[in-house]
Amino acid sequence: MNLLRKILFPFAILYGLVTSIRNFLFDKGILKSYSFDVPVIAVGNLSVGGTGKTPQIEYLIRLLSPKYKVATLSRGYKRQSEGFVLADSTSNAEILGDEPFQFYTKFNNIRVAVDADRKNGIEQLLLQTNKPEVILLDDAFQHRKVKAGFYILLTSYGDLFSDDFMLPTGNLRESRSGVKRANVVIVTKCPASLSLDEQNIIKSKLKLEPNQELYFSFIDYDDSIYSESKTMKVDEIKNVDKLLLAGIAKPEPFFGYLQAEKEECLTYPDHHNFTENDITNIKTKSQNKIIITTEKDFVRLKGRIPKEQLFYLPIRSSFLSASENFDKAITNYVGTSTRHR
């Protein structure tokens, strides 16, 4: 914790008090939460920063979309549009935001929408002719105006909410007690070799309620990289001279998976809007080498870097164990909710 964050400790106490009062008012019904007669699953976290929400949403899409009409609803962070927007063939990352546009380009059998007002966003989705049967709320754990039917809370291995403190001293958006709203907690970005003993130590730190389920997941990197027209095996390009580029939170594992010794890596802030100067710099640094980036950055760079030069590496969220239990919890909730409509 740096000195400035320590100095700001009184503001963290004040911020925690304000968020606690807000949650109390929602819990007691003084501030109104709205429920809907469609299954709504909210994925989020207690802290700022990357906990792996995008791959977790994609996991749910793969699980549910073969059987149900699925829609995702995101805020559309850093988008250049306002209000409710439903993705269509004219959409791009500037209109939707990078992650929603990634959902739209990757999954052609779902609806993708953005709206900072999640209540309005759900209402607009339900007005559509082919309305969704399941709605996935991306980064909506603190959006108390909507009462989801199922809450999934993510917390990163090595950066657990139980070890953190309120903003601005720490990275928590609300008190640790907010975990009580979660049906499921997933510790994300774990080492694939995380032992049962280590899992039990983390479980004791999180202090979950008996009715809350705990899972551990890791980032599973694809064994290939992809351009608009070409696929290459990662093993084939390990020692090929290349430029690695990422505008995500905590890009070190991404670089580590692909990087050869002394290879240059360009790091940008999370959700970075690439300027013309950035594009010029990338082209200059690459010197016609292949450029490998994340899926999220690829949707922003596509069309601005020669397509034969620009590749991306897909990732997935995979569970260390008991994935069938998680799948069953989700499908049981959706199936039961759908039958009761």
Side-chain angles (χ1 to χ4, degrees), residues 188-203:
T188 61
K189 303 184 178 181
C190 296
S193 59
L194 189 69
S195 69
L196 284 175
D197 286 343
E198 290 174 294
Q199 292 177 37
N200 287 328
I201 291 171
I202 292 172
K203 184 177 181 178

Side-chain angles (χ1 to χ4, degrees), residues 46 153 155 159-164 172 176 179 185 206 208:
L46 294 182
L153 180 71
T155 186
D159 192 17
L160 302 172
F161 68 80
S162 56
D163 298 332
D164 208 343
L172 293 185
R176 299 168 196 163
V179 69
V185 175
L206 298 183
L208 302 184

